[in-house]
Amino acid sequence: MIWPKVVKDRIKTGGDREIIHSYPYRSACPSTVWGELVADATEELFFAGYTNYFLWLDQPAFVETLRKKLDAGCRVRFLLGDPNGEVTRKRETIEDVALSVSTRIRITLEHLGKLGVYEGLETRFSAPDDAVNHVSLSVFRFDNEALVTPHLARLVGHDSPLLHLRKHDNSGMFDRFAEHAEELWTRGAQVDSMPAES
């Protein structure tokens, strides 16, 4: 009778079935996990981090990877914080690091400019009223999987925890976070022009 109880205690049976892995720090999640999630996605890549800056450092030739995904018909979206927004300025004061939030956002915009114009590529800034909710929670979606980072107090993203989720049921953990990102996206302002590669 002891063995079935041990097994039952270790098998995921509820909403936690959607939690594939958890990391105490985003930086503890191997770059290969990010790379595999991007590579395996065929329909939807949605990067709803406030700056998304680390992606260009973490993933080799990320511009080329995104270009291949777009050429294959994958939808690619970036939701960024407004580099000139009030929440961005406040966050810069809180973080007090050399590479400011607005600079990290502008670096992402510069890289996106290298991609040029694609029908499946969209970039938006979160609305001013939503920025405080955006800066405190990053959602990165890869078809039916997601990496989610709730930002802790004064910590930058790589020092905050991360959850790896895979959709299992409707209205589960994956859907809750995906809906949050979609709500921010719906009210976001389209970024019409980005710095092009010189």
Side-chain angles (χ1 to χ4, degrees):
M1 296 301 293
I2 294 175
W3 176 247
K5 183 180 186 311
V6 170
V7 172
K8 183 178 178 183
D9 287 345
R10 295 189 61 86
I11 292 177
K12 297 179 180 181
T13 57
D16 61 344
R17 284 183 294 184
E18 296 196 331
I19 302 174
I20 304 305
H21 206 292
S22 63
Y23 302 89
Y25 300 89
R26 190 188 71 197
S27 55
C29 178
S31 61
T32 52
V33 171
W34 292 86
E36 288 166 7
L37 288 170
V38 171
D40 292 345
T42 58
E43 298 178 3
E44 174 86 22
L45 288 172
F46 185 12
F47 302 100
Y50 199 77
T51 73
N52 294 295
Y53 161 77
F54 72 97
L55 292 165
W56 314 101
L57 302 176
D58 190 65
Q59 296 301 306
F62 193 47
V63 169
E64 290 306 314
T65 298
L66 293 179
R67 184 172 284 122
K68 289 175 184 175
K69 286 292 170 182
L70 288 159
D71 286 339
C74 187
R75 183 186 189 194
V76 177
R77 293 184 289 166
F78 280 81
L79 180 67
L80 302 167
D82 183 345
N84 300 313
E86 181 182 354
V87 168
T88 298
R89 287 193 295 273
K90 287 181 178 178
R91 188 67 194 177
E92 288 178 340
T93 301
I94 291 169
E95 290 186 1
D96 191 26
V97 294
L99 194 60
S100 68
V101 176
S102 58
T103 298
R104 299 197 307 262
I105 293 169
R106 288 188 176 99
I107 289 171
T108 291
L109 292 171
E110 181 180 347
H111 283 294
L112 288 172
K114 296 175 184 178
L115 276 168
V117 178
Y118 274 89
E119 185 177 341
L121 176 63
E122 302 170 80
T123 305
R124 294 183 184 179
F125 292 142
S126 52
D129 289 346
D130 290 330
V132 70
N133 297 319
H134 185 193
V135 77
S136 62
L137 178 66
S138 296
V139 179
F140 307 94
R141 181 177 175 183
F142 316 84
D143 289 345
N144 288 326
E145 295 192 47
L147 296 173
V148 177
T149 299
H151 295 264
L152 302 181
R154 297 177 178 274
L155 299 181
V156 293
H158 65 263
D159 285 334
S160 293
L162 179 141
L163 295 174
H164 180 181
L165 307 175
R166 182 179 297 135
K167 183 179 175 71
H168 191 277
D169 297 310
N170 290 330
S171 301
M173 292 276 284
F174 174 90
D175 280 352
R176 298 293 308 281
F177 286 112
E179 287 164 7
H180 166 81
E182 290 296 340
E183 184 176 347
L184 297 183
W185 177 262
T186 299
R187 290 195 294 268
Q190 184 172 338
V191 179
D192 292 319
S193 60
M194 288 175 283
E197 184 176 16
S198 55

